[in-house]
């Protein structure tokens, strides 16, 4: 039995706590900040719209206790809040702790991968793993399995985590490209927004080309950043398209759909800030990212929330891609 603390008790964090306790039978602490909505709902009712917490799970708002009591710390919060959050976590004493990141994003202010943010926060790179890949909570809790990836700079750590976290519900693969796993996982959220715009505008048939060309441009960025081009075609990116580009449960797809219809989506869509970070990475590494740039423009430079015609505005931006010069596919 492993001692696990899950920091963050929102949608994915609450599922992870449920999975670790209910499926894997580990000793689990679920932490959330006092007064925060997700934490208060679990504290009051013992459940949320996704899961009911097992009685064995200890729910707490004491961060010091959550960090010190467990050997493995799983973090599931907003990607853009990681650096500030790690200042609080580090103050609790993190020597010899293993950290697993269950979030998909790129730090907007620096363009850093989330494992790089952890290293800059004082964590040994060989104590950091990332947990990425496809899967929706609503399917998992119905017993529908999926495949995911554990990746790390440490071969020993990735194998230890994958071997100990696997079950009949989640089949884990060992990742072999930490750069590609992180960038691919973050970038699929950007493609999810583009897919939502197509859905909301009635251009659903364009999602096929979006998948093919999206994976290609993400692969080029991964390669320029020192990773493997082929990682874009693995579970972390292309393998996650079904749950991101097509699922009714995808926040990023839903964000794009509502944006195209001129409405706001109030829940977290990590792809928005990831689009901004990826645009800057494309400029930095000299990689052409036409789809990413179109999503960035749609999210930050359309008038969809200011009374403009959102459907036309978003699709005009996406359809600009058809004005590009003819070229070879590969």
């Amino acid at each position: 039995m492993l001692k696990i603390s899950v920091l963050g008790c929102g949608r994915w964090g609450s599922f992870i706590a449920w999975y670790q306790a209910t499926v894997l039978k580990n000793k689990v602490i679920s932490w959330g900040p006092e007064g925060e909505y997700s934490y208060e709902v679990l504290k009051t009712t013992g459940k949320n719209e996704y899961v009911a917490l097992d009685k064995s799970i200890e729910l707490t708002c004491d961060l010091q206790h959550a960090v010190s009591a467990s050997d493995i710390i799983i973090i599931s919060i907003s990607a853009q809040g990681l650096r500030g959050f790690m200042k609080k976590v580090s103050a609790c004493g993190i020597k010899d702790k293993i950290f697993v990141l269950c979030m998909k994003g790129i730090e907007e202010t620096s363009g850093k991968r989330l494992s790089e943010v952890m290293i800059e926060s004082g964590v040994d790179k060989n104590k950091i793993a990332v947990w990425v890949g496809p899967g929706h909570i609503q399917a998992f809790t119905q017993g529908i399995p999926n495949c995911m990836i554990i990746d790390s700079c440490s071969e020993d750590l990735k194998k230890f985590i994958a071997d100990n976290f696997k079950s009949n519900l989640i089949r884990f693969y060992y990742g072999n490209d930490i750069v590609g796993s992180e960038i691919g996982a973050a970038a699929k959220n950007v493609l999810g927004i583009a897919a939502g715009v197509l859905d909301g505008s009635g251009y659903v048939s364009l999602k096929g080309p979006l998948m093919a060309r999206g994976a290609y441009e993400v692969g080029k960025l991964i390669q320029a950043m020192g990773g493997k081009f082929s990682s874009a075609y693995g579970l972390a990116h292309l393998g996650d398209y079904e749950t991101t580009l097509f699922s009714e449960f995808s926040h990023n797809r839903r964000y794009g759909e509502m944006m195209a219809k001129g409405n706001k989506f109030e829940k977290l869509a990590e792809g928005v800030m990831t689009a901004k970070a990826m645009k800057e990475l494309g400029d930095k590494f000299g990689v052409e990212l036409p789809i990413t740039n179109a999503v960035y423009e749609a999210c930050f430079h359309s008038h969809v929330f200011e009374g403009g015609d959102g459907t036309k505005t978003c699709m005009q931006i996406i359809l600009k891609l058809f004005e590009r010069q003819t070229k070879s596919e590969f």
Side-chain angles (χ1 to χ4, degrees):
M1 179 186 291
L2 298 175
K3 295 180 179 179
I4 309 282
S5 283
V6 182
L7 307 184
C9 56
R11 180 175 65 155
W12 192 240
S14 61
F15 164 73
I16 294 168
W18 174 88
Y19 175 74
Q20 290 289 337
T22 306
V23 179
L24 300 181
K25 307 301 182 183
N26 287 322
K27 184 177 181 180
V28 178
I29 295 174
S30 175
W31 173 89
E34 186 173 16
E36 193 265 338
Y37 176 76
S38 297
Y39 172 77
E40 293 299 331
V41 167
L42 290 174
K43 179 182 177 181
T44 303
T45 67
K47 62 182 180 179
N48 57 24
E49 61 183 302
Y50 307 105
V51 297
L53 292 187
D54 189 271
K55 300 284 187 185
S56 67
I57 296 173
E58 179 185 352
L59 184 66
T60 183
C61 60
D62 185 340
L63 185 60
Q64 176 68 60
H65 170 63
V67 173
S68 61
S70 296
D71 305 312
I72 299 174
I73 313 297
I74 300 176
I75 301 180
S76 179
I77 64 169
S78 166
Q80 302 308 321
L82 180 60
R83 189 179 295 273
F85 181 60
M86 279 306 298
K87 291 180 180 178
K88 299 176 182 178
V89 173
S90 297
C92 297
I94 58 174
K95 185 180 179 182
D96 298 326
K97 300 292 182 182
I98 292 171
F99 286 88
V100 181
L101 298 177
C102 289
M103 45 225 276
K104 302 168 183 177
I106 302 168
E107 188 176 50
E108 178 269 322
T109 55
S110 68
K112 296 289 180 69
R113 292 179 286 111
L114 300 185
S115 66
E116 293 179 304
V117 173
M118 294 293 288
I119 293 168
E120 292 179 359
S121 299
V123 182
D124 182 342
K125 70 176 184 178
N126 292 312
K127 295 287 187 180
I128 303 167
V130 297
W131 173 352
V132 296
H136 275 301
I137 297 162
Q138 294 89 339
F140 280 136
T141 54
Q142 293 176 35
I144 301 171
N146 217 319
C147 302
M148 305 187 81
I149 288 177
I150 299 292
D151 214 336
S152 174
C153 292
S154 167
E155 289 292 324
D156 290 339
L157 180 60
K158 80 175 69 169
K159 290 179 179 179
F160 173 78
I161 295 296
D163 291 348
N164 281 279
F165 282 12
K166 68 180 180 180
S167 70
N168 290 333
L169 192 61
I170 302 178
R171 171 181 168 81
F172 282 105
Y173 285 83
Y174 306 133
N176 62 358
D177 176 18
I178 187 71
V179 175
S181 292
E182 289 191 90
I183 295 298
K188 64 94 186 178
N189 287 330
V190 178
L191 275 294
I193 293 175
V197 172
L198 297 178
D199 285 337
S201 305
Y203 287 74
V204 180
S205 61
L206 280 178
K207 288 166 78 169
L210 172 67
M211 292 169 65
R213 299 309 300 170
Y216 181 78
E217 75 172 57
V218 170
K220 297 293 286 186
L221 178 62
I222 290 171
Q223 187 176 49
M225 294 178 67
K228 301 176 181 179
F229 176 84
S230 60
S231 291
Y233 293 89
L235 283 171
H237 187 72
L238 183 62
D240 207 353
Y241 273 10
E242 191 281 329
T243 51
T244 305
L245 274 63
F246 294 92
S247 174
E248 64 179 302
F249 302 127
S250 169
H251 282 188
N252 291 282
R253 192 207 61 79
R254 185 66 174 148
Y255 182 96
E257 181 181 18
M258 292 187 70
M259 179 169 64
K261 294 178 178 178
N263 300 317
K264 275 192 175 183
F265 181 62
E266 300 297 341
K267 295 183 178 180
L268 177 66
E270 292 279 14
V272 176
M273 298 313 295
T274 300
K276 185 174 187 294
M278 282 182 62
K279 179 186 183 301
E280 294 174 359
L281 286 173
D283 294 341
K284 177 181 177 180
F285 288 96
V287 180
E288 197 173 18
L289 304 174
I291 297 172
T292 297
N293 293 341
V295 173
Y296 166 78
E297 187 178 348
C299 289
F300 290 95
H301 296 291
S302 72
H303 299 290
V304 64
F305 301 143
E306 299 173 12
D309 186 334
T311 302
K312 290 183 179 179
T313 300
C314 291
M315 278 313 301
Q316 283 175 348
I317 292 170
I318 298 296
L319 290 175
K320 282 182 182 179
L321 296 171
F322 283 81
E323 300 173 7
R324 288 162 49 79
Q325 183 179 1
T326 304
K327 59 195 294 186
S328 297
E329 183 179 11
F330 297 107

